[in-house]
């Protein structure tokens, strides 16, 4: 059996090495596509599971969710096929979000970082004069080593490196009725001190490595849905300069 798997793997490797395209690249620049900005999200139920970092329960819902600044987002992603190395850089100059009402529950777990409260969360939020979320000059840059399971050809992230994670401001204000870990959150304190606390913990390599590992496990929830061919098609699939316009 091992000999058969070795032959299959060798044949696949030869096929990859013989392909003329050694790198596929995807650059998402919605400002080139003239998307709706602000983005008006249709009201209704929404949920998201990114275990172990974050969960938005299935009974969560919103009314009047509006996100401004999406036209400035740029995601630059490439895969070097021969080494199965993925490089990425994401920049977000400015994002502002608000909603008429958000009624949500779930959990958030960014431990060992303490800049953000962790635990189960629940609450109903109404729009505020400051908005419910604000991001300024976010930049994330790094690389990942991928692994392809021979059985099923599914992709996973074996090693994740995040070299840069910087921002000028990340601020949340989900209201007085919103609780995380069974306690209300001092949103003013969080907004005023989040950057300083995050930067200090990110500068601690032990804490940073533990958080990056948790992000790697979370990334596999998304990446694991794709085969290598599907991931290449998603990223571009057409060569080193493909820049598709994906905005609706």
């Amino acid at each position: 059996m091992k000999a058969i798997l070795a032959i299959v793997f060798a044949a696949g490797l030869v096929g990859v090495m013989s392909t003329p395209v050694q790198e596929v690249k995807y650059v998402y620049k919605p400002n080139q596509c003239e998307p709706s900005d602000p983005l008006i999200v249709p009201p209704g139920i929404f949920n998201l599971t990114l275990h172990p970092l974050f969960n938005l329960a299935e009974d969560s819902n919103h009314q009047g969710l509006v996100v401004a600044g999406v036209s400035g987002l740029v995601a630059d992603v490439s895969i070097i096929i021969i080494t199965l190395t993925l490089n990425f850089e994401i920049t977000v100059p400015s994002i502002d979000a608000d909603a008429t009402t958000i009624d949500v529950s779930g959990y958030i777990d960014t431990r060992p970082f303490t800049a953000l409260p962790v635990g189960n969360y629940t609450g109903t939020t109404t729009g505020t004069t400051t908005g419910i979320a604000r991001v300024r000059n976010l930049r994330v840059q790094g690389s990942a080593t991928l692994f392809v399971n021979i059985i099923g050809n599914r992709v996973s992230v074996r090693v994740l490196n995040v070299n840069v994670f910087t921002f000028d401001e990340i601020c949340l204000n989900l209201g007085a009725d919103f609780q995380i870990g069974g306690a209300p959150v001092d949103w003013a304190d969080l907004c005023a001190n989040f950057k300083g606390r995050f930067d200090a913990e990110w500068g601690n390599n032990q804490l940073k490595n533990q958080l990056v590992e948790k992000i790697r496990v979370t990334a596999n929830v998304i990446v694991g849905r794709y085969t290598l061919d599907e991931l290449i098609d998603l990223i571009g699939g057409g060569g080193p300069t493909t820049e598709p316009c994906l905005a609706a």
Side-chain angles (χ1 to χ4, degrees), residues 1-93:
M1 183 64 179
K2 290 183 178 179
I4 294 174
L5 291 178
I7 292 171
V8 171
F9 178 77
L13 183 60
V14 169
V16 169
M17 292 178 67
S18 63
T19 181
V21 179
Q22 298 301 318
E23 179 180 9
V24 291
K25 187 176 181 66
Y26 167 46
V27 181
Y28 176 49
K29 297 180 179 179
N31 57 310
Q32 296 178 347
C33 308
E34 298 183 359
S36 298
D37 195 351
L39 176 65
I40 300 174
V41 182
I45 294 174
F46 62 149
N47 62 84
L48 178 66
T49 298
L50 295 174
H51 183 75
L53 268 179
F54 179 79
N55 168 259
L56 185 63
E58 293 184 1
D59 59 350
S60 299
N61 64 85
H62 74 89
Q63 300 286 331
L65 179 60
V66 178
V67 183
V70 292
S71 60
L73 167 68
V74 175
D76 188 335
V77 184
S78 65
I79 289 183
I80 301 173
I81 299 175
I82 194 66
T83 59
L84 289 180
T85 301
L86 183 146
N87 299 296
F88 60 89
E89 182 173 9
I90 300 169
T91 55
V92 182

Side-chain angles (χ1 to χ4, degrees), residues 147-183:
F147 173 77
V148 180
N149 190 331
I150 295 177
I151 301 174
N153 198 30
R154 296 291 172 178
V155 178
S156 61
V157 178
R158 172 169 282 180
V159 178
L160 176 65
N161 296 300
V162 181
N163 303 319
V164 176
F165 197 127
T166 62
F167 54 88
D168 289 345
E169 179 186 20
I170 292 181
C171 178
L172 299 173
N173 181 7
L174 299 177
D177 294 332
F178 198 94
Q179 295 190 350
I180 302 178

Side-chain angles (χ1 to χ4, degrees), residues 113-229:
F113 276 45
T114 61
L116 189 68
V118 299
N120 293 332
Y121 65 81
T122 184
T124 300
T125 302
T126 56
T128 66
T129 56
T130 60
I132 59 173
R134 184 169 64 251
V135 177
R136 295 291 183 268
N137 295 322
L138 172 67
R139 177 172 175 251
V140 182
Q141 182 269 326
S143 63
T145 301
L146 305 179
F147 173 77
V148 180
N149 190 331
I150 295 177
I151 301 174
N153 198 30
R154 296 291 172 178
V155 178
S156 61
V157 178
R158 172 169 282 180
V159 178
L160 176 65
N161 296 300
V162 181
N163 303 319
V164 176
F165 197 127
T166 62
F167 54 88
D168 289 345
E169 179 186 20
I170 292 181
C171 178
L172 299 173
N173 181 7
L174 299 177
D177 294 332
F178 198 94
Q179 295 190 350
I180 302 178
V185 179
D186 186 339
W187 300 112
D189 176 75
L190 186 147
C191 290
N193 296 294
F194 183 77
K195 176 175 172 56
R197 292 167 181 164
F198 180 91
D199 288 349
E201 293 181 320
W202 187 258
N204 181 314
N205 283 333
Q206 182 177 0
L207 296 179
K208 171 186 172 181
N209 291 340
Q210 291 181 55
L211 180 61
V212 169
E213 174 60 15
K214 186 170 285 189
I215 295 172
R216 183 193 70 83
V217 175
T218 302
N220 279 328
V221 174
I222 302 172
V223 176
R225 301 170 184 170
Y226 300 99
T227 66
L228 180 59
D229 288 342

